[in-house]
């Protein structure tokens, strides 16, 4: 499992984009992850500028018996790459909108923010995630649950085709009519099938939402959590909501109104008229007086403002799971372990209401895991690496134990986080789907060029 100087020189000559060997200047910047604790150090890194670059890099790796890893925008990585070839796809930034067909042709280097902005010019929108900073491909390969999930379903439901380079170093198209078994796997099966270079993605005709978020002080956390859980019992599919108990550190980088506070953020998104949206939101608005934020008519291009997630790279620790139900008992248990009086070293404990359109699979089926979930729960630890090995896992274990009656035995790969725990990957799909995915990986990558997970 090694390569010769001659083979490396041939690769460099074949590429349009840059190539780095371990120790080269510029390697660290090329392979930087969003989680600053994940320090990738592959033997070779290829900054692909074209699909042909990806083909050349894969052929180089297979000839040398080296594994191939992929990095797009750097989100979602939980394990450092320390061997083989790492292909970065950030330069594959092609983006075209066909307003008549309502299709976006999206290069693998795009973040959702670019697609949202381009589609909005035609009165269209992609079914995207909560953060526009996240890359389009990795997110979609895992399914993708965003702030409009109850209305439109999983983001991967809107993928119409993928271009990818297989272990043979050849680019193919996977769709309903070409390699349909692989297409099934790519809509929710995550990784290990090849290097996705682009996808065609259906858009929806949405120009505006009635949406936003409100922040409530610590004294109102209980009323908001209880009222929100009751609201979810009868919420229509046109409404997607979430709540997050937040503990803001007393640092200058935190906006002054939030600095040092414990608060709850209530997020709301309604697809429809402003008048109907306000009628839907009124019971939630009346739960308690808010001190920050707003809910009102919002351009679809500003969908990321609903959650307003941070974008700067930081040391990150998180754990996610799905919920079988959200009810009054869940709200009380969550208050007990994550409310303002709980000594919890988490900056955020977020619960999203799912179901609705997300519970229904696409025609022909997809590999998405967790469709039956009523909600999701994610814990994000304080960004102090000294806490990552023991204190945060122990705190998360305590929360999980208390919420066990509501936690689903199944998960979704985009929420699972660290997959080093035995069984954590398998839990993201049914046993039948997991076996089918393994068989498809073997069919397209018989020698294990693309290790997963």
């Amino acid at each position: 499992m090694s390569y010769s100087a001659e083979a490396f020189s041939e690769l460099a000559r074949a590429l349009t984009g840059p190539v780095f060997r371990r120790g080269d200047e510029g390697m660290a910047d090329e392979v930087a992850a969003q989680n600053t604790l994940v320090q990738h150090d592959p033997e070779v890194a290829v900054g692909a500028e074209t699909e042909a670059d990806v083909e050349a890099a894969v052929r180089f790796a297979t000839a040398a018996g080296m594994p191939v890893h992929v990095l797009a925008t750097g989100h979602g990585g939980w394990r450092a790459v320390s061997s083989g070839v790492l292909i970065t796809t950030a330069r594959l930034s092609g983006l075209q909108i066909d307003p008549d067909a309502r299709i976006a042709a999206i290069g693998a280097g795009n973040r959702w923010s670019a697609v949202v902005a381009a589609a909005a010019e035609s009165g269209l929108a992609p079914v995207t995630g909560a953060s526009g900073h996240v890359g389009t491909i990795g997110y979609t390969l895992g399914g993708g649950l965003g702030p409009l999930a109850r209305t439109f379903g999983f983001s991967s439901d809107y993928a119409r085709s993928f271009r990818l380079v297989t272990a043979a170093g050849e680019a193919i198209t996977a769709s309903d009519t070409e390699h349909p078994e692989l297409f099934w796997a790519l809509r929710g099966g995550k990784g290990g099938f090849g290097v996705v270079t682009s996808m065609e993605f259906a858009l929806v005709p949405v120009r505006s939402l009635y949406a936003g978020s409100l922040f409530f002080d610590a004294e109102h956390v209980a009323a908001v959590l209880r009222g929100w859980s009751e609201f979810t019992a009868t919420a229509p599919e046109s409404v997607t909501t979430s709540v997050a108990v937040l503990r803001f550190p007393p640092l200058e980088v935190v906006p002054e109104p939030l600095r040092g506070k414990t608060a709850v953020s209530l997020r709301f998104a309604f697809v429809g008229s402003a008048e109907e949206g306000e009628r839907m939101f009124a019971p939630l608005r009346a739960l308690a007086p808010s001190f920050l934020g707003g809910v009102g008519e919002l351009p679809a291009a500003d969908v990321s403002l609903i959650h307003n997630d941070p974008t700067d790279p930081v040391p990150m620790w998180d754990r996610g799971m799905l919920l079988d139900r959200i009810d009054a008992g869940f709200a009380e248990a969550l208050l007990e372990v994550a409310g303002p009086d709980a000594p919890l070293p988490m900056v955020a404990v977020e619960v999203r209401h799912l179901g609705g359109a997300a519970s229904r699979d696409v025609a022909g089926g997809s590999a998405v895991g967790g469709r039956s979930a009523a909600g999701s729960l994610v814990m994000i630890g304080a960004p102090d690496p000294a806490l990552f090995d023991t204190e945060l896992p122990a705190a998360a274990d305590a929360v999980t134990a208390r919420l066990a009656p509501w936690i689903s035995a199944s998960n979704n790969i985009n929420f699972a986080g660290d997959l080093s725990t035995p069984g954590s990957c398998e839990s993201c799909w049914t046993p039948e789907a997991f076996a089918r995915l393994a068989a498809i990986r073997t069919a397209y990558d018989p020698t294990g060029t693309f290790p997963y997970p």
Side-chain angles (χ1 to χ4, degrees), residues 143-159:
L145 288 166
L148 306 178
R150 285 178 49 78
T151 306
F152 292 116
F154 279 83
S155 296
S156 60
D157 297 345
Y158 294 82

Side-chain angles (χ1 to χ4, degrees), residues 28 65 67 88 101 133 149 164 180 209 222 260 273 287 305 398 409 412 448-449:
T88 63
H133 196 253
L164 77 160
L209 311 165
S273 70
L287 290 174
L305 295 180
N412 175 272
T449 296

Side-chain angles (χ1 to χ4, degrees), residues 173-196:
T173 298
S175 67
D176 278 331
T177 57
E178 299 178 80
H179 303 279
E181 186 75 349
L182 179 59
F183 184 53
W184 173 90
L186 292 170
R187 289 200 287 183
K190 201 62 175 180
F193 305 101
V195 183
V196 175

Side-chain angles (χ1 to χ4, degrees), residues 34-51:
Q34 185 73 7
N35 183 348
T36 58
L37 288 187
V38 176
Q39 301 284 328
H40 298 304
D41 187 29
E43 295 170 72
V44 174
V46 172
E49 286 191 355
T50 65
E51 189 173 79

Side-chain angles (χ1 to χ4, degrees), residues 29-358:
D29 290 338
E30 182 68 25
V31 301
Q34 185 73 7
N35 183 348
T36 58
L37 288 187
V38 176
Q39 301 284 328
H40 298 304
D41 187 29
E43 295 170 72
V44 174
V46 172
E49 286 191 355
T50 65
E51 189 173 79
D53 281 358
V54 178
E55 292 176 309
V58 172
R59 289 195 295 268
F60 165 81
T62 55
M66 301 165 69
V68 175
H69 311 273
V70 187
L71 180 71
T73 61
H75 291 80
W78 58 274
R79 179 172 60 194
V81 172
S82 58
S83 65
V85 177
L86 179 58
I87 300 174
T88 63
T89 61
R91 295 175 180 81
L92 299 176
S93 56
L95 175 61
Q96 292 182 325
I97 304 296
D98 183 336
D100 296 327
R102 295 180 181 173
I103 293 288
I106 305 170
N110 282 286
R111 301 178 191 269
W112 278 119
S113 56
V115 185
V116 168
E121 295 179 4
S122 301
L124 301 170
V127 176
T128 180
S131 171
H133 196 253
V134 170
T136 58
I137 299 297
Y139 167 88
T140 302
L141 293 177
L145 288 166
L148 306 178
R150 285 178 49 78
T151 306
F152 292 116
F154 279 83
S155 296
S156 60
D157 297 345
Y158 294 82
R160 294 297 175 259
S161 69
F162 296 91
R163 286 283 291 178
L164 77 160
V165 176
T166 68
E170 299 175 348
I172 64 173
T173 298
S175 67
D176 278 331
T177 57
E178 299 178 80
H179 303 279
E181 186 75 349
L182 179 59
F183 184 53
W184 173 90
L186 292 170
R187 289 200 287 183
K190 201 62 175 180
F193 305 101
V195 183
V196 175
T197 59
S198 65
M199 68 176 174
E200 290 191 334
F201 195 89
L203 305 171
V204 295
V206 175
R207 291 182 178 272
S208 65
L209 311 165
Y210 191 82
S213 63
L214 294 180
F215 289 84
F216 302 85
D217 247 323
E219 63 186 290
H220 302 303
V221 170
V224 171
L225 287 183
R226 289 167 180 154
W228 174 78
S229 66
E230 182 178 351
F231 176 86
T232 63
T234 57
E237 290 188 9
S238 54
V239 172
T240 304
T241 57
S242 65
V243 291
V245 180
L246 305 166
R247 289 168 166 81
F248 293 98
L251 303 176
E252 289 189 6
V253 295
V254 178
E256 195 279 329
L258 299 172
R259 194 175 302 155
K261 276 185 175 288
T262 295
V264 62
S265 173
L266 191 156
R267 294 82 167 256
F268 180 90
F270 170 74
V271 180
S273 70
E275 293 77 15
E276 182 65 8
E278 176 54 32
R279 188 186 70 80
M280 292 282 188
F281 185 64
L284 295 174
R285 191 189 294 277
L287 290 174
S290 62
F291 70 88
L292 188 66
V295 174
E297 195 162 12
L298 186 74
D302 291 337
V303 64
S304 289
L305 295 180
I306 299 171
H307 285 236
N308 204 25
D309 289 343
T311 59
D312 292 339
V314 292
M316 291 185 289
W317 185 99
D318 68 326
R319 183 184 296 181
M321 57 208 70
L322 299 181
L323 304 170
D324 286 330
R325 66 189 190 281
I326 297 172
D327 56 22
F330 171 79
E332 296 305 320
L334 185 64
L335 281 168
E336 181 183 321
V337 294
D341 296 328
L344 192 66
M346 303 286 176
V347 294
V349 179
E350 180 200 65
V351 185
R352 301 187 189 187
H353 184 209
L354 303 178

